[in-house]
Amino acid sequence: YEMLVGLDIRNILIIDHAEIIFTNGLNVLTGETGAGKSILLDSLGFVLGWRGKTEIVRTGADFGEVSVWFQVETDHAVKEILDANNIPWEEELLIRRVISADGRKTAWINGRRAPRELLIRISTLLIEIHGQHDDKGLLDQRSHIRLLDMFAANSSQREAVKEAWRKLKKVNNEYQEEQKKFSAFEAEESFLRYALDELTKADPKDGEEQELDVKRRMMQSSEKIKDDIIKAQNAVGGNGAEGLILDAMRWIETASGKSDGPFDDALASLSRASTELGDAVGIIEGLVDTLDFDVHELEMLEERLFEIRGLARKHKISSDQLPQFKAELENKIEEFSFSAEKLSSLEAKIREFDLEYNVAASKLSKSRLIAGAELDKLVTAELPFLKMENAHFETNIISASRSADGYDEVSFLVSTNKGTSKGPIGKIASGGELSRFLLALKVCLTKGYTAVSMIFDEIDRGIGGATADAVGRRLVRLSKNAQVLIVTHSPQVAALGDEHFQVVKSINSQNTLTEVTKLQGDAKIEEIARMISGDKITPAAINAAATLVDGR
């Protein structure tokens, strides 16, 4: 399964260089108080982007560096994040982070530069740290619903709720947008309909104003124009040029009958002139007819111009834009009718998707109730093994605001003794009790869940003897499904580790250094004996340590 493979630390606090290669079972880290076990966790937190100490570069060094690498399957959620950020996928996921002496930090994921936010997103999918002062994970009530769903294996129900919520939210947004448009139209509906009615009655035409204006100006000056046109008509008509040309043609025809002279060209030219002049006479006569009008016609024309120009001023557009404006009003009113129909359709969809969501959320809620009852039984059955016979655990599920997670609020409540009231797990349990509650929960919640490496920071503090052994047995059981790392002072727990690392602090004339050593065989027994008896390791302690290791 997925696991933390190794941790390499250089020039961090009092660590010159330390490399730890972990196993896929139960990894134990031990050492005297102050030896530097917390530095290992600080270093891990630094490389994964978690907040911690800011001045961690070893004195005299230019920079500190921490690398961590994981074995991750290709279907892990981390791969999707890497793909989205154009980070290459390799057999191992390598994260490296460097901090200079002046505090500047730089990180790489699989050789590609990465911001701190990306480190955090990835690390939360790879590692969980649990301890008495854990403010995330099991002690964060916001995570309880996710943990319960994981235990319930109700992914299909959750996806159904998320999909129904997505559709409901989308159609609600569409409805809100359409409602805004509808409300805006309603506010000006009476004006739009009145304006359209006014324009429909007026029925302005393209180019009408210019045509009317030309005609009006012609009418206004028609008397003077008409006199001139009539003079022109007389000049070119039958009593003028046209008559003279006809006389000239007759005279030339008479002359041509008396002689064989070249008269044809002259007659042809006069004929063409007569034709053109005839056309001119027709046009002038038409002008004369046009200029014939009565005063009432001029009044009507001026009223029409006043109407068109008044509408243009009213709507702050040119007269030529009135037909287009009328068409736009017609479209707006048509859209209003369509919007009303659309709102009705969206309301029907909202009812449909709302029902779909409620059905899906109800099924999800039932799956949680069933899983919660089962989890309560399992955790309660674990507590006696951890010497908490009188403690009680309860998965509390109440109604909450609807969301993509359904309409449930989940919290883990505990009581430590019979007759005492239940409360949030992080507020009711004392240090040692809290550690055991967390362990019992984790044992029950992680069945078949192997995607995260779990680190327990002195979760067995404050307990010993049979209780410590029970805690160790539970950690072993937990490590069958997921990688477990524990920082411990308990010899009973240390004896059960698949891999044992000792953290030792050494002091010389120049430096104080922390070293990490992998222990096997007699060295492991000797360290457990130290944990039993203290600095002076007695034969009895050696025998007791050997007995603990043999009893694994």
Side-chain angles (χ1 to χ4, degrees), residues 179-474:
Q179 183 65 51
K180 286 180 185 177
K181 291 193 293 184
F182 188 82
S183 298
F185 183 89
E186 278 189 316
E188 59 174 351
E189 179 188 6
S190 57
F191 165 74
L192 292 176
R193 292 192 182 279
Y194 175 80
L196 179 61
D197 183 62
E198 196 174 36
L199 285 166
T200 300
K201 289 177 180 176
D203 193 23
K205 301 291 191 300
D206 289 333
E208 184 179 4
E209 185 207 16
Q210 183 178 1
E211 182 182 334
L212 291 173
D213 187 55
V214 169
K215 193 172 182 180
R216 183 189 65 167
R217 280 188 281 109
M218 185 176 288
M219 285 182 176
Q220 288 173 338
S221 57
S222 62
E223 289 302 324
K224 184 176 181 308
I225 294 173
K226 189 174 183 180
D227 288 344
D228 292 337
I229 296 299
I230 289 174
K231 287 178 183 178
Q233 184 183 28
N234 291 334
V236 299
N239 296 323
E242 186 178 26
L244 292 173
I245 288 175
L246 292 175
D247 288 341
M249 289 177 68
R250 284 196 300 273
W251 293 333
I252 290 174
E253 286 175 351
T254 301
S256 66
K258 298 177 180 180
S259 173
D260 296 328
F263 302 110
D264 292 344
D265 290 343
L267 285 172
S269 295
L270 288 171
S271 177
R272 288 195 297 274
S274 177
T275 301
E276 291 292 331
L277 198 58
D279 292 340
V281 170
I283 293 172
I284 292 172
E285 288 176 349
L287 288 174
V288 172
D289 292 339
T290 301
L291 293 171
D292 286 335
F293 71 94
D294 58 31
V295 176
H296 179 66
E297 182 182 359
L298 177 60
E299 290 176 353
M300 291 180 61
L301 187 148
E302 288 180 333
E303 286 179 3
R304 178 61 175 173
L305 267 175
F306 180 80
E307 179 184 26
I308 291 174
R309 289 173 174 173
L311 286 172
R313 285 193 302 272
K314 182 176 182 178
H315 297 295
K316 298 179 180 179
I317 57 177
S318 68
S319 299
D320 290 339
Q321 293 176 306
L322 286 173
Q324 177 62 32
F325 181 63
K326 174 175 174 286
E328 289 173 0
L329 290 181
E330 291 172 338
N331 288 336
K332 275 191 176 182
I333 292 175
E334 185 178 351
E335 285 176 9
F336 174 71
S337 301
F338 176 74
S339 182
E341 294 175 6
K342 189 174 181 181
L343 278 175
S344 178
S345 174
L346 289 173
E347 287 170 354
K349 280 189 176 181
I350 288 174
R351 290 191 294 270
E352 176 189 346
F353 293 155
D354 192 70
L355 176 61
E356 181 180 337
Y357 174 85
N358 286 333
V359 170
S362 176
K363 290 180 180 178
L364 179 59
S365 186
K366 287 177 182 177
S367 76
R368 287 169 176 160
L369 288 170
I370 294 170
E374 179 64 20
L375 181 61
D376 293 349
K377 290 179 184 178
L378 292 176
V379 174
T380 301
E382 280 291 319
L383 294 176
F385 293 104
L386 299 174
K387 307 304 177 184
M388 299 180 71
E389 295 85 352
N390 296 321
H392 182 73
F393 174 87
E394 178 183 312
T395 303
N396 186 46
I397 304 175
I398 61 175
S399 297
S401 300
R402 301 197 308 176
S403 71
D405 291 323
Y407 47 61
D408 298 318
E409 181 180 302
V410 177
S411 58
F412 296 146
L413 305 180
V414 301
S415 63
T416 54
N417 294 289
K418 288 183 178 179
T420 59
S421 59
K422 295 185 290 295
I425 188 171
K427 295 181 179 180
I428 297 297
S430 64
E433 293 167 335
L434 175 59
S435 300
R436 284 173 278 164
F437 267 122
L438 292 176
L439 182 55
L441 255 176
K442 209 60 182 171
V443 168
C444 297
L445 286 171
T446 55
K447 291 182 177 181
Y449 183 63
T450 62
V452 175
S453 296
M454 287 173 283
I455 300 175
F456 292 89
D457 183 14
E458 298 189 11
I459 199 171
D460 52 358
R461 177 183 293 177
I463 60 175
T467 303
D469 182 68
V471 168
R473 300 291 173 185
R474 263 45 198 175

Side-chain angles (χ1 to χ4, degrees), residues 1-7 20-30 40-41 453-458 460 472 475-476 478-480 482-488 493-502 518 524 552:
Y1 48 72
E2 287 86 0
M3 59 174 283
L4 168 62
V5 178
L7 177 67
I20 309 174
I21 304 299
F22 300 100
T23 187
N24 61 358
L26 178 60
N27 297 264
V28 172
L29 284 81
T30 64
L40 300 180
L41 297 185
S453 296
M454 287 173 283
I455 300 175
F456 292 89
D457 183 14
E458 298 189 11
D460 52 358
L475 287 168
V476 170
L478 189 60
S479 70
K480 301 302 180 185
Q483 184 187 41
V484 176
L485 285 69
I486 179 165
V487 177
T488 181
V493 174
L496 297 171
D498 295 304
E499 206 75 88
H500 192 140
F501 301 94
Q502 182 187 32
K518 180 178 177 180
K524 176 175 180 177
R552 290 182 66 226

